[in-house]
Amino acid sequence: MPELSAIASADPSRTLATPRRTLLLRGGQALLSAGAIALLAGCESAMSSRAASADTMANDAEILNTALGLEYEGIAAYQVGAESGLLEKPVLDVAVQFQGHHKEHADVLAQTVAKLGGTPVLPKAQYNFPVDQLKTQADVLRFAAGLEKGAASAYYGAVPLFGDSALAQAAASIMADEAMHWAVLLHVLGENPVPVAFVS
Amino acid sequence: MIRAATTLSVALLAILPALFAETRAESDVDIAAGEALYERCQGCHSIDRNRIGPMHRGLFGRTAGTLEGFEYSEAMRNSGIVWDEATLDAFLEAPRNYVPGTKMTYAGVKDAQERRDLIAYLRQASAP
């Protein structure tokens, strides 16, 4: 099992104390995306709303925590792929970019869970990926595509559960990103990148 | 003797519709469709490894919240549910209504036929 050192950069203990619109991630390299801002904004609106009960906030934090666990799994999976030696450039670069997206998702999800009063889940020490089945670049890409498709489905299934519609909107933003990853991976595999009209 | 035979015939006639209905329900499921639906579950689950959700191998007959090596919510551990067609059907329709507090943050499979197909696939695929 490869080291999961890359996960360290998604350490949910990182705090973002500066005003959100000037917030910088990864040493100032990337401004927060609109989706991230929406997540934090949704969280803040929930906290400031008299209608937002403790139960609603706890419910939303639980949903985001499940998503956070998924993101950590995705980060670890791309790490396995990157360290497998099976990915050739420029595919490797794309995989690292997608891993970066998952790290951004995880950063903001963890912060939002904490702001809602929850305790962000941590990455697992081990994921028991089926690494023995990854023999070629195509194997790695197909495995990643499956995870991305699954992640899109998970967000799809979670969106209706949010008590705060701003959080639902932000989760949908992440779902769209996962779906784009899935499509690109299918394309690289030579498969139909958009096999269906509806993602569920 | 004749009375006994008549009684038996009447009894058989009484249960035949039920038997027929059960047979028909079995034949109505589409396991291939269920397998396709299971792809939705694979965001968090796998047949053979614990992920965000517990593995499904050996699911039928298992008491909820008892699979070793998976960290369940308190709600699931205390649910007392034993997984079979009926409990899975109720749970999958609206997981967080059936087990409030479950970590399964999924709205549910609302279509009854889809649930039947999915459960039929799960029964086959999760067999020990």
Side-chain angles (χ1 to χ4, degrees), chain B residues 54-112:
Chain B
M55 74 171 87
H56 285 140
R57 179 72 63 204
L59 175 65
F60 283 76
R62 180 194 300 160
T63 300
T66 61
L67 181 65
E68 205 168 313
F70 187 82
E71 192 177 331
Y72 289 92
S73 65
E74 187 179 351
M76 190 60 80
R77 283 198 308 272
N78 295 334
S79 68
I81 293 168
V82 176
W83 294 121
D84 58 20
E85 273 85 354
T87 53
L88 280 169
D89 185 66
F91 180 68
L92 290 173
E93 184 177 11
R96 287 171 72 80
N97 288 348
Y98 194 60
V99 184
T102 176
K103 290 181 185 175
M104 185 155 149
T105 53
Y106 191 80
V109 181
K110 302 305 178 188
D111 183 273

Side-chain angles (χ1 to χ4, degrees), chain A residues 58-60 62-64 66-67 69-71 73 124 127-130 143 146-147 149-151 153-154 156-158 160-161 200, chain B residues 36-37 39-45 48-53 69-70 95-97 100-108 110 114:
Chain A
N59 173 70
D60 288 353
E62 276 181 18
I63 300 167
L64 296 176
T66 300
L70 269 175
E71 297 292 349
E73 185 186 50
K124 290 184 178 180
Y127 283 92
N128 298 319
F129 293 132
F143 174 58
L147 290 180
K149 180 183 182 182
S153 289
Y156 166 83
L161 297 175
S200 62
Chain B
L37 288 164
E39 290 181 7
R40 294 184 197 169
C41 312
Q42 288 176 309
C44 298
H45 291 277
D48 283 315
R49 63 188 177 91
N50 288 329
R51 296 179 53 209
I52 310 305
F70 187 82
R96 287 171 72 80
N97 288 348
T102 176
K103 290 181 185 175
M104 185 155 149
T105 53
Y106 191 80
K110 302 305 178 188
E114 287 190 345

